[in-house]
Amino acid sequence: MTGAGLTAAMLVMTSGTATAAAHATASTAAIAEPDAAPDAEAPSAFIPADFDAPTLVETENFKLVPLGPDLVDIDFAAYMSSIEHLQQTFTRSTGWPHKDISAADAMRDMETEQARFQKRESFAYAVLTPDGSRERGSLYVRPSRVDGHDAEVRLWVTKAEYDAGFDAELYAWARGWVESDWPFEKVAYPGRAIDWESWDALVAASKAGKAGQ
């Protein structure tokens, strides 16, 4: 995680009511990876009170920084360059990304991710080139929707980066980083360490269990 054309027009015509109009458009509320957004019932204490989530991680080939409004342009350019690739490999849905995402949609997404990070609800990172000029992909650390896991971690890279082999490199690095630098006992990597069919079944079972409580 549209009616993007209508939303964009309303933003231009009535800037004072842009926020209300945007929230009235149901599909734009789930612009970025809706299937992996934190559940409304996710625990408030996702991470310990004395743990500070990293805000800058630098390696020889890339760096991680929290997603936010300052990165809206390069983030937008990254996922819009790889719409079909991400629909097939990341969200498995045409809901995100898609060709009608507007600049307003993109900014709203960045503001949402920044707010979640600040509230310690979930942590979304841009994976940038070392000089910060281009986004190679994104990485998300979020509460697990499946009982028995502390967190779920998902990531994507652009089609060009995927073809160059960066997806495997980033995934291998992410597993080591989460294990060494985050306070989790058991982490799920949907679509990777756990195949999608198995993960979807676990999510469905977890939801059914909560509904029956």
Side-chain angles (χ1 to χ4, degrees):
M1 175 130 2
T2 62
L6 175 61
T7 302
M10 294 178 71
L11 286 168
V12 173
M13 295 171 61
T14 57
S15 58
T17 59
T19 300
H23 285 286
T25 307
S27 56
T28 60
I31 170 181
E33 200 195 345
D35 60 301
D39 290 343
E41 298 178 358
S44 58
F46 173 40
I47 57 175
D50 61 353
F51 177 78
D52 292 326
T55 55
L56 174 63
V57 183
E58 295 181 285
T59 76
E60 181 179 356
N61 295 326
F62 59 87
K63 68 178 180 180
L64 268 65
V65 298
L67 283 171
D70 290 348
L71 298 175
V72 64
D73 291 336
I74 59 175
D75 182 62
F76 183 82
Y79 60 73
M80 293 301 278
S81 75
S82 305
I83 293 175
E84 183 176 353
H85 167 69
L86 295 178
Q87 288 177 349
Q88 294 175 352
T89 63
F90 184 59
T91 60
R92 300 176 296 145
S93 166
T94 57
W96 186 90
H98 56 82
K99 65 182 180 63
D100 293 322
I101 294 175
S102 69
D105 293 333
M107 179 59 77
R108 215 161 22 247
D109 178 38
M110 291 294 94
E111 292 170 344
T112 297
E113 294 293 7
Q114 183 182 64
R116 287 174 177 163
F117 197 108
Q118 292 172 345
K119 294 176 182 178
R120 300 164 64 86
E121 295 174 345
S122 64
F123 304 92
Y125 294 90
V127 182
L128 308 176
T129 54
D131 65 1
S133 63
R134 180 171 57 84
E135 183 175 286
R136 305 182 71 180
S138 291
L139 186 151
Y140 305 84
V141 181
R142 289 175 162 163
S144 176
R145 292 166 293 163
V146 172
D147 293 338
H149 293 81
D150 304 307
E152 61 182 84
V153 175
R154 296 184 60 184
L155 59 92
W156 60 263
V157 301
T158 65
K159 179 63 163 59
E161 295 287 2
Y162 185 90
D163 290 343
F166 184 57
D167 184 82
E169 176 187 343
L170 181 61
Y171 173 51
W173 176 87
R175 293 199 67 163
W177 175 59
V178 171
E179 182 177 357
S180 64
D181 290 14
W182 289 79
F184 304 128
E185 293 293 328
K186 188 174 182 181
V187 178
Y189 292 85
R192 296 177 184 272
I194 303 174
D195 65 83
W196 282 122
E197 183 177 358
S198 298
W199 179 252
D200 291 342
L202 289 171
V203 171
S206 182
K207 288 183 177 179
K210 292 177 181 177
Q213 291 177 355

